[in-house]
Amino acid sequence: MRPAHVLLAVLVTAVWGVNFVVIEVGLDHFPPLLFSALRFLVAALPAVFFVGPPKVAWKWIVGVGLVLGVAKFGLLFIGMDAGMPAGTSSLVLQIQAVFTALFAFVALGERPGRVRLAGMVIALAGIGVAAVDEGEAGPLTAFALLIAAAACWGVSNVLTRKASPPDSLNFMVWVSTVPVLPLLGLSLLFEGPTADLAALRSLDWQGAGIIVYVAWITTVFGFGAWGYLLRRHPASTVAPFSLLVPVFGMSAAALVLGESVSALGWCAAPLLVGGVGLTSLAGVRRGGSGAGTGSPAQDRAVGAVPRPPRTTASRTPSTTSRPAAPR
């Protein structure tokens, strides 16, 4: 990669890592479901008028929009609002790579090789350590919500791979149109119109800046730049940079929010990052016929950015799994 492209990749992962801190601050301004709805609303408008018509079938846009936008981000925001720290959230969410590999095996028949299986075991061990740590420091319910969010992300990765959108930015902008109304409806139902109206009436410059960051900087810029890199370099070259997201996330949380990392947290972090790296970057075996090409991790905060599928008369394109991005 050219030095400028390396810097761009690092910048995107920094943006996605810092996003966890921005979300933590944003939850002081908005109820979680309303916050998530506003994020997608601003990400979709006015960008939807400039990216052109959808380039994949609507069933994929609606499916990813509901699973990723409503389920994954709804659970993520609720979990963080329930007490899950920003830095730990940026780390735990990376277990989505393991869920992606499992769901790809069930739905697409991809058989993980030995290295990938080892990575999954290591990552799950990291999650176990993190769960023990969270049980000592905070509510396990919030931790469970983050795990559920990661599982939903894994489902959306498989759906995105099946959709194989040729333009990642176009796809994500159209996907962002889907969750707005469901999230607003859920917010009115569970958070109440009084809380929603109070948050909107008290909107200040900081709150507006937070919405702009999570929508335009994280989504529009982040996905656009990531897609640009993936179009010019092999996914196996770009994907490892996504492992920097929890590094930036935990560092930003420590610097901005004063979050500390416990001894168990320091044990969980290398297990999770190392396991996710092996799970995401190791090859898969297709239909039991031997090792396939590497299936690298790809994007971070909203849905996977797949590479163009390779097809034959008898094979289904393999699913790309990737470590999670920010939100």
Side-chain angles (χ1 to χ4, degrees):
M1 291 178 69
R2 294 164 48 189
H5 289 178
V6 172
L7 291 175
L8 180 60
V10 174
L11 175 61
V12 172
T13 58
V15 163
W16 282 334
V18 172
N19 189 51
F20 285 86
V21 173
V22 176
I23 289 174
E24 182 78 22
V25 177
L27 289 169
D28 292 331
H29 293 258
F30 310 100
L33 291 173
L34 175 65
F35 186 14
S36 189
L38 293 174
R39 173 200 193 281
F40 284 107
L41 176 64
V42 176
L45 298 176
V48 73
F49 298 110
F50 298 98
V51 297
K55 294 178 171 57
V56 299
W58 271 101
K59 65 179 180 179
W60 301 119
I61 293 173
V62 173
V64 174
L66 292 176
V67 175
L68 182 72
V70 178
K72 182 261 183 175
F73 278 98
L75 291 169
L76 174 63
F77 281 39
I78 293 172
M80 291 186 66
D81 188 60
M84 196 68 181
T88 306
S89 297
S90 71
L91 177 66
V92 170
L93 205 62
Q94 306 313 310
I95 199 66
Q96 61 83 24
V98 173
F99 284 114
T100 300
L102 291 173
F103 297 146
F105 170 70
V106 173
L108 303 175
E110 288 194 351
R111 294 180 58 192
R114 293 180 180 178
V115 174
R116 175 165 287 186
L117 286 172
M120 293 167 66
V121 171
I122 293 171
L124 290 173
I127 282 295
V129 175
V132 172
D133 184 39
E134 188 63 23
E136 294 179 353
L140 274 177
T141 302
F143 183 87
L145 290 172
L146 262 291
I147 299 298
C152 292
W153 196 350
V155 174
S156 74
N157 288 346
V158 175
L159 293 176
T160 301
R161 184 56 185 161
K162 290 285 287 183
S164 295
D167 185 335
S168 59
L169 179 60
N170 172 282
F171 181 67
M172 290 316 305
V173 168
W174 280 103
V175 163
S176 295
T177 66
V178 175
V180 177
L181 291 180
L183 284 169
L184 284 175
L186 290 171
S187 179
L188 290 172
L189 181 63
F190 292 104
E191 295 166 346
T194 302
D196 288 351
L197 287 174
L200 294 174
R201 286 171 179 167
S202 62
L203 182 65
D204 54 15
W205 285 107
Q206 185 183 47
I210 288 169
I211 294 295
V212 168
Y213 185 93
V214 298
W216 290 354
I217 305 300
T218 300
T219 302
V220 177
F221 166 74
F223 281 98
W226 201 252
Y228 170 85
L229 292 171
L230 287 170
R231 286 192 296 271
R232 284 156 179 78
H233 303 281
S236 57
T237 300
V238 179
F241 286 96
S242 62
L243 296 175
L244 293 174
V245 171
V247 176
F248 285 114
M250 297 178 75
S251 299
L255 292 173
V256 178
L257 303 176
E259 291 184 5
S260 59
V261 181
S262 67
L264 282 176
W266 284 116
C267 293
L271 288 172
L272 264 170
V273 173
V276 165
L278 289 175
T279 302
S280 301
L281 302 177
V284 297
R285 293 187 295 170
R286 301 179 184 176
S289 59
T293 57
S295 219
Q298 289 184 2
D299 160 312
R300 221 29 54 265
V302 190
V305 181
R307 57 184 176 181
R310 303 189 305 165
T311 61
T312 67
S314 62
R315 290 183 179 179
T316 301
S318 66
T319 299
T320 300
S321 59
R322 28 160 229 185
R327 319 169 267 185

